[in-house]
Amino acid sequence: MSTLIYWFRNDLRLTDNPAFTLASQQALQHGLRLLPVFCHAPPETTRWGFARVGLHRQRVLADTLLDLETQLRSLGSAPLHLHGQPANVLPALARVLQASTVMAEDIAAPQEQGEVAGLRAAGLTVQTVWQSSLLDPAELPFEVTALPAVFTQFRTGVEKAAVQVRQPLPAPSTVAPLPAMWDADSDRISHPDLAQLLTSNWPLAPTNKGQEAMNIDALDRVSLPYHLPAFQGGERTGLAHLRRYLAAKLPHSYKATRNQLSGTDYSSKFSPWLASGALSAPTIYAELKAFEVEFGANDGSYWLWFELLWRDYFRFLHLQTNDTLTLWRQGQTGVPLVDAAMRELHQTGYLSNRLRQVVASHLIYDLGCDWRAGAAWFESQLVDFDIYSNQGNWLYIAGLGTDPRGGRRFDVAKQTRDHDPDGSYQRLWLQG
Ligand SMILES: Cc1cc2nc3c(=O)[nH]c(=O)nc-3n(C[C@H](O)[C@H](O)[C@H](O)COP(=O)(O)OP(=O)(O)OC[C@H]3O[C@@H](n4cnc5c(N)ncnc54)[C@H](O)[C@@H]3O)c2cc1C
């Protein structure tokens, strides 16, 4: 019987996890086995010389995973903990299981998109589900590519259109069975091809508690005491925290207290659970609305919605950037001079200096994308790629370099008139 792999990412929960629920339902409908998997990234040092995931995050993640594991086990399932980059370990796992499909939540950030691309390049079918926002991008009153450039316009647009938040899904009551290869004795899949990939130090030693990470003498100074049972990572603690926060009627004072600097109650402290996916934004919203029905709405409870919209806005900006960047790279922006230039770059690996300036400016100022993505595309394509010249020019145009004028915006219409008045360059690359 074939196996479907469910890859947990930043969605470490069972309640209101549409992607996991769908995977389990599909497996049950088609008589498949379901293997939940989590990939522990190898320790990594950033280019700035410190750990990418420090001790605090390690502890919260470990507690979150332990909770997920307990819940999966109560349903007769269990996660397989793999050690390594997803693009390496998941194809190896799929080979052992003779599986071809991975399901996971969609994450719009570049590295996470690269992970999915890596799995696809390895021949796997990857089905991703967008689920980390409060609002469904498809329900927005504008295309994601036309997301307002200003948050207030985004918020008022959403509020005027009365965009509805979906109802949270309950946790599944049944989960499709583990693969037959799951070995009850070792409590994992024992296969020589996986020996190097299985995480040997999971679960983390119980002594590795938050107190060690906090590195302070008086723990009562802590605003987010994740070392205490009530605040530790994990879905069940997150749901209990949410209910405690509402039962104490703290939303009513939220707007007045939210800019305080220290303490557990001045703000919601939902963020670690939201970030790991232990709590979903629609779950918080549904409970908040029920609170307002019972105890009344005020500007404090409204302001929690307002902040959750900020969270969504930052997510949608990533979706927008991905879509827009793809159009820019492919020469499909609809701006003829830019599209001609981007096609020349992609097809030949070279572009004149003036056009490099024009397309870089267009990406940064007209399309609102991150200059680093543009610099990375140039790095990928240019036959004369030189780290100093590429970085220096992008920084200069973005206004982050050594230019006292603070940024160089090129007016594409004027550039077209000045440098391609008869359209011959555009015809050269837009035709054929
Ligand atoms: C430089 C900088 C970096 C930040 N990095 C992160 C980050 O990595 N992760 C993170 O969750 N938040 C980040 N924030 C936003 C904000 O500081 C935290 O969400 C908030 O302090 C978390 O505490 P809380 O849950 O009690 O927030 P509350 O004030 O109770 O807000 C409720 C929820 O709304 C969302 N929210 C609130 N403010 C923002 C905001 N400005 N942007 C996006 N979402 C918001 C969060 O999900 C938060 O849990 C950052 C802010 C700044 C200025």
Side-chain angles (χ1 to χ4, degrees):
M1 204 188 293
S2 169
T3 300
L4 182 62
I5 296 173
Y6 187 80
W7 171 29
F8 276 103
R9 306 178 87 191
N10 292 339
D11 58 332
L12 303 176
R13 64 178 182 276
L14 296 188
T15 307
D16 194 40
N17 188 330
F20 180 71
T21 301
L22 180 67
S24 183
Q25 280 170 353
Q26 283 190 4
L28 287 166
Q29 272 164 15
H30 299 289
L32 306 175
R33 305 286 182 142
L34 180 73
L35 181 61
V37 171
F38 185 81
C39 301
H40 294 259
E44 194 184 324
T45 302
T46 67
R47 70 177 74 174
W48 314 107
F50 44 79
R52 178 142 190 220
V53 182
L55 285 179
H56 303 295
R57 279 184 62 204
Q58 285 178 31
R59 186 65 246 167
V60 172
L61 176 62
D63 285 337
T64 308
L65 285 168
L66 278 171
D67 184 69
L68 179 70
E69 179 152 348
T70 307
Q71 297 207 73
L72 283 169
R73 285 183 187 280
S74 74
L75 294 170
S77 186
L80 186 72
H81 294 272
L82 294 174
H83 181 76
Q85 298 297 346
N88 297 330
V89 298
L90 291 178
L93 174 66
R95 273 193 297 280
V96 167
L97 294 168
Q98 297 186 324
S100 59
T101 304
V102 175
M103 285 181 70
E105 80 161 352
D106 191 7
I107 303 178
Q111 180 170 334
E112 287 77 0
Q113 293 279 306
E115 290 172 347
V116 171
L119 298 185
R120 292 193 172 126
L124 290 170
T125 300
V126 188
Q127 193 182 336
T128 58
V129 177
W130 178 265
Q131 60 176 9
S132 72
S133 50
L134 181 63
L135 304 175
D136 181 344
E139 299 291 320
L140 295 177
F142 19 71
E143 294 296 323
V144 160
T145 45
L147 194 73
V150 176
F151 170 74
T152 304
Q153 289 167 8
F154 164 76
R155 179 182 59 78
T156 50
V158 162
E159 289 175 343
K160 269 197 198 125
V163 178
Q164 296 298 302
V165 177
R166 65 174 172 78
Q167 279 300 312
L169 294 177
S173 52
T174 325
V175 172
L178 288 165
M181 217 181 248
W182 188 273
D183 176 19
D185 290 337
S186 62
D187 200 24
R188 48 176 57 182
I189 290 178
S190 297
H191 189 283
D193 292 357
L194 291 182
Q196 302 296 318
L197 307 180
L198 295 173
T199 306
S200 54
N201 64 343
W202 178 260
L204 292 185
T207 51
N208 183 12
K209 280 290 176 195
Q211 284 93 329
E212 292 172 16
M214 293 242 185
N215 194 25
I216 50 175
D217 48 10
L219 285 167
D220 56 1
R221 282 186 275 162
V222 177
S223 285
L224 209 158
Y226 65 79
H227 62 292
L228 299 178
F231 285 87
Q232 74 186 24
E235 173 179 357
R236 285 175 302 172
T237 319
L239 287 169
H241 171 75
L242 169 61
R243 285 167 191 154
R244 199 170 46 241
Y245 182 78
L246 299 177
K249 302 196 177 67
L250 288 169
H252 283 159
S253 52
Y254 172 72
K255 190 169 181 220
T257 59
R258 55 183 283 274
N259 284 323
Q260 290 177 13
L261 305 185
S262 185
T264 50
D265 291 345
Y266 71 84
S267 67
S268 74
K269 306 299 185 297
F270 295 155
S271 57
W273 288 288
L274 278 167
S276 62
L279 276 181
S280 80
T283 297
I284 292 178
Y285 180 79
E287 299 265 347
L288 184 63
K289 283 287 129 186
F291 166 87
E292 287 183 331
V293 168
E294 192 170 354
F295 300 110
N298 73 352
D299 56 352
S301 55
Y302 168 79
W303 218 259
L304 278 164
W305 147 265
F306 182 99
E307 296 298 350
L308 289 172
L309 279 189
W310 266 112
R311 179 178 177 274
D312 265 18
Y313 185 60
F314 289 134
R315 279 173 157 60
F316 297 150
L317 281 175
H318 258 82
L319 282 178
Q320 180 194 36
T321 298
N322 287 353
D323 289 358
T324 308
L325 187 67
T326 303
L327 296 176
W328 179 78
R329 279 172 37 205
Q330 293 172 344
Q332 303 282 357
T333 66
V335 178
L337 187 67
V338 171
D339 288 350
M342 294 309 291
R343 290 180 201 188
E344 182 187 1
L345 174 64
H346 191 29
Q347 287 169 30
T348 72
Y350 185 81
L351 202 57
S352 72
N353 182 63
R354 176 51 47 141
L355 285 172
R356 293 184 199 200
Q357 293 172 318
V358 170
V359 298
S361 159
H362 186 66
L363 184 76
I364 296 168
Y365 298 108
D366 302 334
L367 299 178
C369 285
D370 188 332
W371 69 269
R372 292 169 300 179
W377 180 243
F378 272 32
E379 176 173 355
S380 155
Q381 299 296 302
L382 284 173
V383 289
D384 62 8
F385 169 70
D386 167 77
I387 179 63
Y388 307 108
S389 305
N390 191 48
Q391 191 89 349
N393 277 286
W394 275 96
L395 283 167
Y396 188 82
I397 293 168
L400 300 167
T402 53
D403 182 4
R405 265 175 43 185
R408 299 281 164 156
R409 182 176 195 151
F410 289 77
D411 177 340
V412 183
K414 180 173 185 308
Q415 295 295 315
T416 308
R417 282 195 303 275
D418 289 354
H419 300 288
D420 193 29
D422 63 358
S424 56
Y425 175 79
Q426 294 162 75
R427 279 193 300 281
L428 195 60
W429 290 103
L430 292 178
Q431 287 169 1

